[in-house]
């Protein structure tokens, strides 16, 4: 069993520590989120920009970074939804994920993250429904 962290995992942990320090110092958390999106390229950047726009248009969630990736928090500062680029961990799809503070519960079994390679108009409509439910 390999107990060492990958280079990407170590970078994410360093990013989380820097984010906590910046938040404590009163940094502009939305600017950090936008900077993280700006550093992305290709499909990752397009997907992150789309998610950011949908969150801002349809919810009251606040933008920040979380482990170096765009994330959106509720009034209590809890991450509700996040974006993880495919390039971050060298995988074939990006991830849009919801944390436990998202109100998505449906019975005993429901999805909490989604693999995404493209967001069509229909996908965006579904995502807006999930975002609205998550903050309800």
């Amino acid at each position: 069993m390999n107990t060492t962290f990958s280079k990407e995992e170590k970078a994410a942990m360093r990013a989380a520590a820097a984010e906590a320090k910046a938040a404590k110092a009163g940094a502009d958390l939305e600017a950090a989120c936008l900077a993280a999106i700006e550093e992305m390229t290709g499909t990752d950047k397009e997907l992150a920009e789309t998610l950011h726009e949908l969150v801002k248009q349809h919810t009251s969630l606040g933008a920040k970074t979380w482990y170096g990736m765009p994330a959106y928090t509720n009034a209590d500062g809890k991450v509700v939804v996040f974006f993880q680029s495919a390039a971050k961990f060298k995988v074939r799809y990006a991830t849009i994920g919801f944390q436990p503070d998202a109100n998505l519960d449906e019975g005993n079994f429901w999805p909490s993250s989604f693999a995404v390679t493209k967001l069509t108009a229909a996908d965006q409509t579904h995502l807006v429904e999930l975002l609205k439910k998550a903050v309800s």
Side-chain angles (χ1 to χ4, degrees), residues 5-19 67-68 88-89:
F5 292 104
S6 71
K7 180 176 74 171
E8 293 81 13
E9 290 167 329
K10 289 176 185 175
M13 287 184 276
R14 283 191 300 276
E19 291 158 2
Y67 296 97
K88 177 90 172 179
F89 292 101

PDB file of all heavy atoms in Angstrom, residues 5-19 67-68 88-89:
ATOM      1  N   PHE A   5       1.849  10.864  -0.655  1.00  0.00           N
ATOM      2  CA  PHE A   5       0.948  11.691  -1.446  1.00  0.00           C
ATOM      3  C   PHE A   5       1.597  12.009  -2.783  1.00  0.00           C
ATOM      4  O   PHE A   5       2.808  12.208  -2.869  1.00  0.00           O
ATOM      5  CB  PHE A   5       0.626  12.996  -0.706  1.00  0.00           C
ATOM      6  CG  PHE A   5      -0.198  12.785   0.535  1.00  0.00           C
ATOM      7  CD1 PHE A   5       0.389  12.867   1.786  1.00  0.00           C
ATOM      8  CD2 PHE A   5      -1.545  12.505   0.448  1.00  0.00           C
ATOM      9  CE1 PHE A   5      -0.361  12.674   2.929  1.00  0.00           C
ATOM     10  CE2 PHE A   5      -2.306  12.313   1.581  1.00  0.00           C
ATOM     11  CZ  PHE A   5      -1.718  12.397   2.834  1.00  0.00           C
ATOM     12  N   SER A   6       0.766  12.121  -3.829  1.00  0.00           N
ATOM     13  CA  SER A   6       1.269  12.501  -5.148  1.00  0.00           C
ATOM     14  C   SER A   6       1.657  13.971  -5.132  1.00  0.00           C
ATOM     15  O   SER A   6       1.271  14.735  -4.235  1.00  0.00           O
ATOM     16  CB  SER A   6       0.199  12.256  -6.213  1.00  0.00           C
ATOM     17  OG  SER A   6      -0.853  13.202  -6.073  1.00  0.00           O
ATOM     18  N   LYS A   7       2.378  14.375  -6.154  1.00  0.00           N
ATOM     19  CA  LYS A   7       2.773  15.774  -6.303  1.00  0.00           C
ATOM     20  C   LYS A   7       1.530  16.663  -6.341  1.00  0.00           C
ATOM     21  O   LYS A   7       1.486  17.725  -5.719  1.00  0.00           O
ATOM     22  CB  LYS A   7       3.599  15.922  -7.590  1.00  0.00           C
ATOM     23  CG  LYS A   7       4.075  17.321  -7.868  1.00  0.00           C
ATOM     24  CD  LYS A   7       4.970  17.371  -9.097  1.00  0.00           C
ATOM     25  CE  LYS A   7       4.132  17.207 -10.328  1.00  0.00           C
ATOM     26  NZ  LYS A   7       4.830  17.445 -11.592  1.00  0.00           N
ATOM     27  N   GLU A   8       0.475  16.210  -7.041  1.00  0.00           N
ATOM     28  CA  GLU A   8      -0.763  16.983  -7.151  1.00  0.00           C
ATOM     29  C   GLU A   8      -1.479  17.081  -5.810  1.00  0.00           C
ATOM     30  O   GLU A   8      -2.014  18.138  -5.452  1.00  0.00           O
ATOM     31  CB  GLU A   8      -1.685  16.351  -8.203  1.00  0.00           C
ATOM     32  CG  GLU A   8      -1.159  16.430  -9.621  1.00  0.00           C
ATOM     33  CD  GLU A   8      -0.119  15.352  -9.957  1.00  0.00           C
ATOM     34  OE1 GLU A   8       0.024  14.376  -9.180  1.00  0.00           O
ATOM     35  OE2 GLU A   8       0.539  15.473 -10.991  1.00  0.00           O
ATOM     36  N   GLU A   9      -1.492  15.999  -5.051  1.00  0.00           N
ATOM     37  CA  GLU A   9      -2.125  16.016  -3.734  1.00  0.00           C
ATOM     38  C   GLU A   9      -1.380  16.952  -2.776  1.00  0.00           C
ATOM     39  O   GLU A   9      -1.998  17.696  -2.020  1.00  0.00           O
ATOM     40  CB  GLU A   9      -2.185  14.606  -3.153  1.00  0.00           C
ATOM     41  CG  GLU A   9      -3.168  13.710  -3.865  1.00  0.00           C
ATOM     42  CD  GLU A   9      -3.028  12.239  -3.511  1.00  0.00           C
ATOM     43  OE1 GLU A   9      -1.905  11.778  -3.204  1.00  0.00           O
ATOM     44  OE2 GLU A   9      -4.055  11.550  -3.535  1.00  0.00           O
ATOM     45  N   LYS A  10      -0.059  16.923  -2.826  1.00  0.00           N
ATOM     46  CA  LYS A  10       0.737  17.825  -1.983  1.00  0.00           C
ATOM     47  C   LYS A  10       0.473  19.277  -2.357  1.00  0.00           C
ATOM     48  O   LYS A  10       0.347  20.140  -1.479  1.00  0.00           O
ATOM     49  CB  LYS A  10       2.221  17.503  -2.108  1.00  0.00           C
ATOM     50  CG  LYS A  10       2.620  16.205  -1.442  1.00  0.00           C
ATOM     51  CD  LYS A  10       4.097  15.907  -1.682  1.00  0.00           C
ATOM     52  CE  LYS A  10       4.488  14.553  -1.121  1.00  0.00           C
ATOM     53  NZ  LYS A  10       5.881  14.207  -1.438  1.00  0.00           N
ATOM     54  N   ALA A  11       0.368  19.554  -3.650  1.00  0.00           N
ATOM     55  CA  ALA A  11       0.088  20.924  -4.101  1.00  0.00           C
ATOM     56  C   ALA A  11      -1.290  21.368  -3.618  1.00  0.00           C
ATOM     57  O   ALA A  11      -1.466  22.525  -3.203  1.00  0.00           O
ATOM     58  CB  ALA A  11       0.172  21.005  -5.623  1.00  0.00           C
ATOM     59  N   ALA A  12      -2.273  20.469  -3.647  1.00  0.00           N
ATOM     60  CA  ALA A  12      -3.624  20.802  -3.172  1.00  0.00           C
ATOM     61  C   ALA A  12      -3.608  21.119  -1.683  1.00  0.00           C
ATOM     62  O   ALA A  12      -4.271  22.054  -1.225  1.00  0.00           O
ATOM     63  CB  ALA A  12      -4.588  19.657  -3.476  1.00  0.00           C
ATOM     64  N   MET A  13      -2.833  20.364  -0.908  1.00  0.00           N
ATOM     65  CA  MET A  13      -2.744  20.623   0.535  1.00  0.00           C
ATOM     66  C   MET A  13      -2.069  21.974   0.805  1.00  0.00           C
ATOM     67  O   MET A  13      -2.503  22.723   1.689  1.00  0.00           O
ATOM     68  CB  MET A  13      -2.000  19.488   1.231  1.00  0.00           C
ATOM     69  CG  MET A  13      -2.826  18.222   1.325  1.00  0.00           C
ATOM     70  SD  MET A  13      -2.027  16.908   2.246  1.00  0.00           S
ATOM     71  CE  MET A  13      -0.985  16.182   0.995  1.00  0.00           C
ATOM     72  N   ARG A  14      -1.037  22.287   0.034  1.00  0.00           N
ATOM     73  CA  ARG A  14      -0.384  23.597   0.194  1.00  0.00           C
ATOM     74  C   ARG A  14      -1.360  24.715  -0.168  1.00  0.00           C
ATOM     75  O   ARG A  14      -1.413  25.745   0.500  1.00  0.00           O
ATOM     76  CB  ARG A  14       0.878  23.679  -0.666  1.00  0.00           C
ATOM     77  CG  ARG A  14       2.075  22.940  -0.095  1.00  0.00           C
ATOM     78  CD  ARG A  14       3.374  23.268  -0.820  1.00  0.00           C
ATOM     79  NE  ARG A  14       3.346  22.926  -2.233  1.00  0.00           N
ATOM     80  CZ  ARG A  14       3.607  21.714  -2.741  1.00  0.00           C
ATOM     81  NH1 ARG A  14       3.913  20.723  -1.940  1.00  0.00           N
ATOM     82  NH2 ARG A  14       3.557  21.514  -4.035  1.00  0.00           N
ATOM     83  N   ALA A  15      -2.142  24.499  -1.224  1.00  0.00           N
ATOM     84  CA  ALA A  15      -3.131  25.499  -1.637  1.00  0.00           C
ATOM     85  C   ALA A  15      -4.165  25.711  -0.542  1.00  0.00           C
ATOM     86  O   ALA A  15      -4.539  26.849  -0.241  1.00  0.00           O
ATOM     87  CB  ALA A  15      -3.807  25.070  -2.940  1.00  0.00           C
ATOM     88  N   ALA A  16      -4.620  24.631   0.082  1.00  0.00           N
ATOM     89  CA  ALA A  16      -5.612  24.745   1.158  1.00  0.00           C
ATOM     90  C   ALA A  16      -5.055  25.541   2.330  1.00  0.00           C
ATOM     91  O   ALA A  16      -5.752  26.379   2.916  1.00  0.00           O
ATOM     92  CB  ALA A  16      -6.064  23.359   1.612  1.00  0.00           C
ATOM     93  N   ALA A  17      -3.808  25.308   2.676  1.00  0.00           N
ATOM     94  CA  ALA A  17      -3.188  26.057   3.778  1.00  0.00           C
ATOM     95  C   ALA A  17      -3.073  27.534   3.423  1.00  0.00           C
ATOM     96  O   ALA A  17      -3.366  28.409   4.252  1.00  0.00           O
ATOM     97  CB  ALA A  17      -1.822  25.467   4.101  1.00  0.00           C
ATOM     98  N   ALA A  18      -2.679  27.836   2.189  1.00  0.00           N
ATOM     99  CA  ALA A  18      -2.564  29.230   1.753  1.00  0.00           C
ATOM    100  C   ALA A  18      -3.925  29.911   1.721  1.00  0.00           C
ATOM    101  O   ALA A  18      -4.054  31.085   2.077  1.00  0.00           O
ATOM    102  CB  ALA A  18      -1.899  29.291   0.371  1.00  0.00           C
ATOM    103  N   GLU A  19      -4.961  29.175   1.320  1.00  0.00           N
ATOM    104  CA  GLU A  19      -6.317  29.729   1.285  1.00  0.00           C
ATOM    105  C   GLU A  19      -6.800  30.092   2.682  1.00  0.00           C
ATOM    106  O   GLU A  19      -7.395  31.150   2.890  1.00  0.00           O
ATOM    107  CB  GLU A  19      -7.275  28.722   0.645  1.00  0.00           C
ATOM    108  CG  GLU A  19      -7.044  28.525  -0.826  1.00  0.00           C
ATOM    109  CD  GLU A  19      -7.580  27.212  -1.361  1.00  0.00           C
ATOM    110  OE1 GLU A  19      -8.174  26.431  -0.598  1.00  0.00           O
ATOM    111  OE2 GLU A  19      -7.387  26.969  -2.556  1.00  0.00           O
ATOM    112  N   TYR A  67      -8.710  24.014  -2.047  1.00  0.00           N
ATOM    113  CA  TYR A  67      -7.634  23.169  -2.559  1.00  0.00           C
ATOM    114  C   TYR A  67      -7.167  23.652  -3.928  1.00  0.00           C
ATOM    115  O   TYR A  67      -6.813  22.881  -4.799  1.00  0.00           O
ATOM    116  CB  TYR A  67      -8.056  21.692  -2.604  1.00  0.00           C
ATOM    117  CG  TYR A  67      -8.318  21.132  -1.238  1.00  0.00           C
ATOM    118  CD1 TYR A  67      -9.609  21.071  -0.733  1.00  0.00           C
ATOM    119  CD2 TYR A  67      -7.266  20.708  -0.432  1.00  0.00           C
ATOM    120  CE1 TYR A  67      -9.848  20.581   0.546  1.00  0.00           C
ATOM    121  CE2 TYR A  67      -7.507  20.216   0.848  1.00  0.00           C
ATOM    122  CZ  TYR A  67      -8.794  20.150   1.317  1.00  0.00           C
ATOM    123  OH  TYR A  67      -9.030  19.665   2.583  1.00  0.00           O
ATOM    124  N   GLY A  68      -7.204  24.975  -4.117  1.00  0.00           N
ATOM    125  CA  GLY A  68      -6.729  25.584  -5.353  1.00  0.00           C
ATOM    126  C   GLY A  68      -7.724  25.598  -6.490  1.00  0.00           C
ATOM    127  O   GLY A  68      -7.427  26.095  -7.563  1.00  0.00           O
ATOM    128  N   LYS A  88      -5.944  18.986 -13.168  1.00  0.00           N
ATOM    129  CA  LYS A  88      -5.420  19.009 -11.798  1.00  0.00           C
ATOM    130  C   LYS A  88      -4.859  17.654 -11.378  1.00  0.00           C
ATOM    131  O   LYS A  88      -3.795  17.574 -10.788  1.00  0.00           O
ATOM    132  CB  LYS A  88      -6.532  19.445 -10.833  1.00  0.00           C
ATOM    133  CG  LYS A  88      -6.142  19.436  -9.368  1.00  0.00           C
ATOM    134  CD  LYS A  88      -5.585  20.743  -8.953  1.00  0.00           C
ATOM    135  CE  LYS A  88      -5.371  20.783  -7.457  1.00  0.00           C
ATOM    136  NZ  LYS A  88      -4.811  22.026  -7.046  1.00  0.00           N
ATOM    137  N   PHE A  89      -5.595  16.594 -11.681  1.00  0.00           N
ATOM    138  CA  PHE A  89      -5.148  15.253 -11.296  1.00  0.00           C
ATOM    139  C   PHE A  89      -4.915  14.349 -12.506  1.00  0.00           C
ATOM    140  O   PHE A  89      -4.904  13.127 -12.389  1.00  0.00           O
ATOM    141  CB  PHE A  89      -6.125  14.620 -10.305  1.00  0.00           C
ATOM    142  CG  PHE A  89      -6.112  15.331  -8.980  1.00  0.00           C
ATOM    143  CD1 PHE A  89      -7.109  16.231  -8.654  1.00  0.00           C
ATOM    144  CD2 PHE A  89      -5.070  15.141  -8.085  1.00  0.00           C
ATOM    145  CE1 PHE A  89      -7.077  16.915  -7.434  1.00  0.00           C
ATOM    146  CE2 PHE A  89      -5.036  15.823  -6.873  1.00  0.00           C
ATOM    147  CZ  PHE A  89      -6.039  16.703  -6.554  1.00  0.00           C
TER     148      PHE A  89
END
